[in-house]
Amino acid sequence: MQTNYKKILAILLLVGNFNKINAAYTQRDTALNIIQLPINYSKERTELSIEYLKNRHGIEQSTPIINPIMIVLHFTDGGTIHSIHDYFNAPTIEDSRQINKKVSALNVGSQFLIDRDGKIYQLMPDNYLARHAIGINYCAIGVENIGSEKEPLTEEQVIANAKLVRHLCKKYKIEYLIGHSEYIKFRNTPIWKESDPKYITYKTDPGEKFMEGVRILTMDLNLKSNP
Ligand SMILES: [Zn+2]
């Protein structure tokens, strides 16, 4: 399937006035609708999250609350809103994910999940820890998108992600916007907090063109992509 965000890029480049585009875009932001679809952030998940903060990030506290300065965009590599919700709902990670399971039993998850039509679902409070990106979970909000390499993310998802980023930037002091494939850049910087220097996984999601589209639509926010 041919995605349409090339079209957005082409229009923006033709018009050549990003400030005007962004001003128009900002006004459209009023229509942001977030559908609540909470996973069970149970006592067990809470305890595992507090333990994750301590053991992985070296942060000792009595709650799983984070102070977000970063947004990380992902794709799910298949599935549907309901199958991904069900998958994230379990407090513990499945046995087949050996590399991850070895360092913590906490299941993976994300604060937000966006469908192919651009509908935004919130799975947990946006400042609760979710396990979605090694080294930076303690300061990063994760946004998953239904899609994969074979099923590239849609124009609706580009727009929805940009709207959500704009919304979160009003709420928190967000400095960075990255795709999961870019997170390794933060290794060997003070932002990276992971007790095992060898614990790393290589990612390709959510795709370069997708990131380019979201970045153009949020250009006025001056979010950084590098440490
Ligand atoms: Zn990812």
Side-chain angles (χ1 to χ4, degrees):
M1 187 174 59
Q2 176 68 29
T3 52
N4 285 328
Y5 37 89
K6 270 188 199 149
K7 197 170 76 192
I8 303 179
L9 294 177
I11 292 167
L12 288 170
L13 291 171
L14 268 177
V15 176
N17 189 329
F18 297 113
N19 289 336
K20 265 191 191 160
I21 293 284
N22 273 310
Y25 186 74
T26 307
Q27 283 159 15
R28 286 173 54 196
D29 183 46
T30 49
L32 179 71
N33 180 30
I34 298 175
I35 302 158
Q36 298 300 318
L37 189 66
I39 59 161
N40 184 13
Y41 212 101
S42 59
K43 189 166 180 279
E44 186 181 7
R45 192 176 198 111
T46 302
E47 282 166 2
L48 287 168
S49 298
I50 291 168
E51 187 188 277
Y52 189 98
L53 278 165
K54 181 171 174 245
N55 295 345
R56 305 324 317 163
H57 298 312
I59 297 169
E60 283 196 59
Q61 57 182 47
S62 58
T63 70
I65 292 175
I66 64 164
N67 181 22
I69 60 161
M70 188 182 292
I71 298 169
V72 185
L73 308 183
H74 303 257
F75 66 47
T76 53
D77 206 14
T80 63
I81 292 295
H82 291 288
S83 72
I84 299 296
H85 177 273
D86 281 356
Y87 186 75
F88 287 172
N89 198 46
T92 54
I93 196 162
E94 63 178 345
D95 289 341
S96 64
R97 301 184 76 153
Q98 278 297 317
I99 298 170
N100 303 100
K101 189 161 186 164
K102 229 164 65 182
V103 304
S104 167
L106 175 64
N107 196 12
V108 294
S110 65
Q111 287 85 352
F112 294 95
L113 177 59
I114 300 184
D115 209 349
R116 299 188 63 73
D117 61 3
K119 282 204 183 91
I120 303 170
Y121 296 84
Q122 183 164 7
L123 306 183
M124 63 178 78
D126 49 26
N127 64 344
Y128 273 34
L129 180 100
R131 185 179 186 183
H132 61 96
I134 295 165
I136 53 177
N137 288 311
Y138 76 96
C139 69
I141 293 173
V143 182
E144 285 281 359
N145 288 270
I146 301 293
S148 64
E149 299 283 0
K150 277 193 205 152
E151 205 177 16
L153 301 180
T154 65
E155 181 182 357
E156 286 78 11
Q157 284 170 310
V158 173
I159 293 169
N161 278 259
K163 282 186 179 185
L164 181 58
V165 166
R166 196 172 289 284
H167 165 77
L168 292 171
C169 284
K170 282 182 196 149
K171 219 171 153 181
Y172 299 107
K173 284 205 164 100
I174 303 294
E175 291 175 53
Y176 303 93
L177 170 66
I178 63 166
H180 198 187
S181 62
E182 301 170 299
Y183 86 117
I184 291 173
K185 290 187 205 167
F186 289 82
R187 210 177 174 190
N188 303 319
T189 74
I191 289 176
W192 188 269
K193 293 187 195 292
E194 166 49 49
S195 52
D196 178 358
K198 285 187 194 141
Y199 179 42
I200 197 97
T201 52
Y202 295 92
K203 298 289 180 180
T204 59
D205 65 312
E208 262 174 52
K209 288 215 174 75
F210 176 78
M211 287 309 298
E212 212 177 321
V214 177
R215 284 191 169 120
I216 285 178
L217 291 177
T218 56
M219 193 175 271
D220 58 309
L221 300 175
N222 296 316
L223 298 171
K224 294 179 268 187
S225 56
N226 286 299

